[in-house]
Amino acid sequence: MMDSPFNSRGRTWPRHAPGIDPGAKPLVRFDAVTKRFGGLAAVERLTLDIFDNEFIALLGPSGCGKSTLLRMLAGFEQPDEGRILLDGADIAGVPPHRRPVNMMFQSYALFPHMTVGGNVAFGLKQEDVPKAEIDGRVRDILKLVQLEGFDQRKPHQLSGGQRQRVALARALVKRPRVLLLDEPLSALDRKLREETRFELMELQHRIGLTFIMVTHDQDEAMAMSDRIGVMHQGRLVQVAPPAQIYERPNSRWVAGFVGDVNLIECQLVESGPTGSALECAGVGRLSIAQSVDAPPGSALCVALRPEKVDVASLPPDAADGSHFAGRVLDIGYLGDLSIYRIQLESGFVLKASAANRSRLAAARIARGDSVFVSWSSDAGVVLTQ
Amino acid sequence: MSERTIAARRRWASRLVIVIPALWLAAFFLVPFLIVLKLSLSQTAVAQPPYVPTFDLAAGWQGLRDFFAALSAGNYALLASDSLYVTSYLRSLRIAAISTLILLVIGYPVAYGIARASRRAQLVLVAAVVLPFLTAFLIRIYAWVNILQREGLLNDALLGLGLIGDPIVWLSTDTAIYIGIVYSYFPFMVLPLYATLEKMDESLLEAAADLGCPWWKAFWLITVPLSWPGIIAGALLCFIPIAGEFVIPDLLGGSDSLMIGQTLWTEFFTNKDWPAAAALAVVLLVVLLVPIAIYQHLQAREMGSR
Amino acid sequence: MRRGLSVFNVTALALGLAFLYLPIVILVIYSFNASRLVTVWGGWSTRWYLALLSDNAMLEAAWISVRIAFLSATAATVLGTLAAVALVRGGRFRGRVVFSGLVYAPLVMPEIITGLALLLLFVAVDVERGFWTVTLAHATLTMCFVTVVVQSRLLSFDMSLEEAARDLGCPPLKAFFTVTLPLIFPAVAAGWMLAFTLSLDDLVIASFTTGPGSVTLPMRIYSEVRMGVKPEINAVSTIMIALVAIGVIVAAVVTKRGAIVRERATGDR
């Protein structure tokens, strides 16, 4: 899997990602967009640029406004304030049927009274494309999604995965400027979902199209997208590539939402150009290899991912980083991993996880054992928000 | 700019969807009631149409003042003073209330039985309950005339079985009215009851049994309270139209005491006293206004909640 | 709530259905009675059906009723579907409470009040009463039943289907006609059927709103029945029951097909 060209970790970053080509013009620009429903803001003064050929995921819990954002771009909702630009032009007032964007619906929304071919051809018929061309394009796109020979079937004669691909083909056949995907994999079962992730990524790579995906599944967002926009209560809290979201979250909320984390409340003691020292209630003194731009005494938070914490029966000998003694409260055995909850001498409960690399490793540390936890000085991230 | 006009035109189209049926209902449902109200304040006359005053737009402002001056509450005074009308109203309300109760007692076990049948059987049973409703109402009442008359099948059957010695008079009695009403309104009671019972989670009764509640007690403590919306909807759906029923008492009932629908019919068609008939209608409407309002509220909520 | 039927449930169902169907079955059987006396069985015969064929007044009334039912049901279906769309899709427009009140009130309003009110309207605007006034009155009454039937179907309709059509370049009105209408068609057809049978059935409103020369079938039957039981009426009734039964079977097949398609389309979500 690691050597697959479509794995996000082995993949080149997009050509126009911000910071790589600062002169690039965004394909889609949300400019201070606000949308309220009955006085409640679903999206609030949100600004986001999306570039050509990018695969961006909007990630957030349900009700965070991510679907509303997508529906505003599709034209089903009108922003109350702000502008949405497509190719530099304001698309306010353009009805959905005239926008060069197409959507893959969460429920797929396949027309049950039409065949697969009829569903895929539907959009082209609205454009008055000549019959011969429609036939050709429908055939090509069904081939692309590996549904050749299915054009006479009705949607109810297809499996879940096949329906998903019909929905994809139906949206792609229009050759939109942007493809919008609303929870595209949520209706599939787990195994199929993981296979389909790679299929979608490969497809996007091959046809070179901008994908905007809405999802509440962080694994999906991490594995598939070039950039993730994390949303919370109608606001965009962080936009960055997946690794940065995970390793350098910009707030407690993002750190807690994406992956598992220990949040340790601390006070800044001192900060230099290469590192800083913090006094943490319930844990002790931590040194972190990160410069912090705040006056000494500020209340801060250290985010520490469980897999960055080492658990050992003997005290570690390396002096770099931090180590503390504690006792194992309980162990959650997940097969590939084990999750340890460890109570430090000060009372603070810390989560640590370790891969069970040797078949008997899980048996080595038991509940109630006295252990030592340690982590390197670059393991934690200092969060100011 | 053209996109804006298209959007404006689209808003107009979506407004027409509301405006057309709204205007239709206003013209053919709301306005007629205002006319009934106005007529109930007029006097009967030997004329065509048989009442005064008539509304004359050509007379202008003065005509309008004359028109209002000529209105009177005389018809209502008549309704209140003549015991014929008062008994008629009371009789209608009593018959409507008793038959609604009978319908509830008979309809509930049937609705409950349907709700507990398998999915497939439910569809068939619901269709079986609705089907007679689609065959003409008049015919179904007429069928009972066949059965209930003195030499009819019911007496034949009872005599044949030796249960009675002499034929019983069924037709032209209140019993016949109740039979006819219960028979005709049966689906209106069963369907709303079935709709709520069918939605009920069966594990609730299992939970009650698990907690030590015997089934008959669970029925009273769980099933019945949860089916209140269906009970109310069914009761209103029956009570309101029964109170104004005409055909059933006319064909099956006796002629000595009348329901209000019959009284209204007689005033209108036989006595040609249109204003009195209008006043009778207005009073009936006022009496039924509260149940109708409750019914509408329930209906709107039911449609909104799904 | 499905747990199989107890003896009590089966008894309740059997008695309930017997109560509903026995009178109709008896009526049908006696329409084939050879005897003129309704209560005496004189052997099987179709003489009353033959007698019906020469009863011109009855046949004419039936023809008038069928035409009124057809026209009023069609108008009611259009109006009722519009009202259903307005109620489900209209959102919170001004006057919504009044509007929904106007839609649901005729469902329970005693016919005698509605009939009187409509008659007075026709008198006030001074139109000639007869075929067309009955048609208008029936359309008004039955459109509300159509609305309820179509509305409950629209409420379970997946809005994203229509949105998908618009997303693929279909203007809103066209999206309604190419996607929504075909899918809710079984409900619209059921609404039409219901309106048709209600119109065919109505005595009270027709009696108020009709004029000389336009006697509907229920009015005709009513005036005969008031005189006492007549075997011809049994025959007319049997024919009407047969027509309704055929209509219901056709409707059941149509809606069942729709339901199966719908169920499969949404089945394993």
Side-chain angles (χ1 to χ4, degrees), chain C residues 46-251:
Chain C
T46 52
R47 63 182 281 203
W48 306 117
Y49 290 88
L50 294 173
L52 207 60
L53 283 179
S54 51
D55 187 344
N56 282 329
M58 190 69 83
L59 290 177
E60 197 193 334
W63 178 230
I64 288 176
S65 271
V66 168
R67 281 185 301 157
I68 288 176
F70 182 85
L71 289 173
S72 67
T74 306
T77 304
V78 174
L79 289 164
T81 305
L82 282 177
V85 171
L87 282 171
V88 177
R89 303 282 178 77
R92 300 187 173 278
F93 57 89
R94 223 177 303 154
R96 190 193 160 90
V97 176
V98 178
F99 183 70
S100 68
L102 278 176
V103 171
Y104 299 136
L107 296 175
V108 286
M109 188 64 71
E111 288 174 322
I112 202 134
I113 299 181
T114 315
L116 177 68
L118 279 163
L119 166 71
L120 295 180
L121 171 78
F122 294 137
V123 171
V125 296
D126 199 20
V127 291
E128 196 190 331
R129 275 169 284 140
F131 183 87
W132 288 106
T133 46
V134 179
T135 306
L136 277 177
H138 282 179
T140 308
L141 177 78
T142 55
M143 71 169 273
C144 305
F145 288 85
V146 176
T147 301
V148 171
V149 174
V150 176
Q151 193 183 5
S152 42
R153 175 67 189 95
L154 270 180
L155 282 169
S156 64
F157 184 80
D158 181 6
M159 263 299 277
S160 63
L161 286 173
E162 205 174 299
E163 283 179 350
R166 289 164 61 196
D167 185 63
L168 293 166
C170 202
L173 203 62
K174 197 177 164 197
F176 181 80
F177 281 105
T178 51
V179 174
T180 311
L181 199 57
L183 290 172
I184 63 167
F185 184 75
V188 175
W192 188 89
M193 287 268 311
L194 184 61
F196 187 86
T197 51
L198 284 170
S199 166
L200 209 56
D201 198 13
D202 166 70
L203 166 69
V204 174
I205 291 175
S207 300
F208 274 104
T209 53
T210 193
S214 293
V215 176
T216 64
L217 186 59
M219 289 169 69
R220 180 88 210 141
I221 294 175
Y222 174 71
S223 63
E224 296 271 340
V225 171
R226 290 216 70 174
M227 305 298 152
V229 176
K230 282 177 105 180
E232 288 99 327
I233 301 298
N234 284 344
V236 177
S237 307
T238 303
I239 292 172
M240 286 180 76
I241 291 167
L243 287 178
V244 169
I246 292 168
V248 167
I249 290 166
V250 170

Side-chain angles (χ1 to χ4, degrees), chain A residues 188-242:
Chain A
L188 304 177
D189 54 38
R190 201 177 133 180
K191 198 132 189 139
L192 192 57
R193 193 156 55 207
E194 280 170 14
E195 284 167 27
T196 314
R197 271 184 203 165
F198 292 106
E199 280 175 20
L200 264 181
M201 285 154 63
E202 186 195 330
L203 190 77
Q204 194 251 348
H205 210 72
R206 185 141 35 120
I207 58 182
L209 183 66
T210 306
F211 277 30
I212 305 179
M213 175 175 80
V214 154
T215 181
H216 67 276
D217 181 334
Q218 44 168 303
D219 292 347
E220 209 166 286
M222 300 279 276
M224 292 169 78
S225 59
D226 300 323
R227 280 198 303 158
I228 297 178
V230 184
M231 287 187 70
H232 180 47
Q233 294 178 345
R235 291 167 186 277
L236 208 50
V237 283
Q238 188 172 10
V239 188

Side-chain angles (χ1 to χ4, degrees), chain C residues 30-44:
Chain C
Y30 271 78
S31 75
F32 294 101
N33 186 359
S35 164
R36 167 154 286 283
L37 292 169
V38 187
T39 50
V40 180
W41 181 253
W44 296 91

Side-chain angles (χ1 to χ4, degrees), chain A residues 63-192:
Chain A
C64 70
K66 56 191 193 301
S67 287
T68 306
L69 202 63
L70 206 66
R71 290 172 59 81
M72 280 196 281
L73 185 53
F76 298 123
E77 311 284 356
Q78 295 297 320
D80 293 321
E81 285 162 29
R83 296 181 309 160
I84 301 173
L85 307 177
L86 183 68
D87 273 333
D90 190 344
I91 51 172
V94 180
H97 62 277
R98 287 164 199 247
R99 295 194 180 195
V101 296
N102 287 113
M103 172 121 115
M104 209 187 116
F105 289 80
Q106 183 173 10
S107 62
Y108 308 146
L110 298 181
F111 307 128
H113 57 310
M114 298 180 195
T115 60
V116 167
N119 265 283
V120 177
F122 186 90
L124 297 176
K125 283 185 187 150
Q126 308 307 319
E127 289 175 15
D128 293 325
V129 176
K131 176 93 176 65
E133 194 190 329
I134 293 182
D135 291 346
R137 279 169 71 173
V138 169
R139 207 176 322 113
D140 291 347
I141 203 83
L142 286 178
K143 192 173 168 191
L144 186 72
V145 298
Q146 297 157 33
L147 281 175
E148 281 170 295
F150 280 83
D151 57 334
Q152 288 309 311
R153 301 271 187 102
K154 286 284 189 75
H156 65 82
Q157 297 168 312
L158 302 179
S159 72
Q162 288 168 335
R163 277 184 216 164
Q164 192 257 5
R165 279 180 279 157
V166 176
L168 187 64
R170 189 177 70 173
L172 283 176
V173 77
K174 298 262 294 179
R175 295 176 187 157
R177 295 286 286 127
V178 185
L179 181 72
L180 312 177
L181 304 109
D182 188 359
E183 305 270 6
L185 307 178
S186 66
L188 304 177
D189 54 38
R190 201 177 133 180
K191 198 132 189 139
L192 192 57

Side-chain angles (χ1 to χ4, degrees), chain B residues 10 24 28 32-33 112-113 115 117 122 128 131 136-138 142 146 151 153 183 197 200 202 250 261 268 296 303, chain C residues 1-3 5 19-21 26 39 82 101 105 112-113 117-119 140 155 172 201 218 222 229-230 234 248:
Chain B
R10 194 145 28 90
W24 181 284
F28 293 106
F33 281 107
Y112 193 66
Q122 281 189 28
L131 204 60
F137 170 65
L138 195 59
Y142 167 71
N146 270 333
E151 297 85 20
L153 287 163
Y183 183 68
L197 287 172
M200 207 176 291
E202 207 230 314
D250 189 61
F268 189 86
Q296 284 179 344
M303 289 295 187
Chain C
M1 92 171 262
R2 267 163 296 286
R3 201 167 49 173
L5 298 166
F19 176 58
L20 282 180
Y21 283 91
I26 290 168
T39 50
L82 282 177
I112 202 134
I113 299 181
L118 279 163
L119 166 71
T140 308
L155 282 169
D201 198 13
Y222 174 71
V229 176
K230 282 177 105 180
N234 284 344
V248 167

Side-chain angles (χ1 to χ4, degrees), chain B residues 32 57 90 131 146 212 284 292 294:
Chain B
L57 273 181
L90 292 177
L131 204 60
N146 270 333
L284 179 58
I292 289 175
I294 298 173

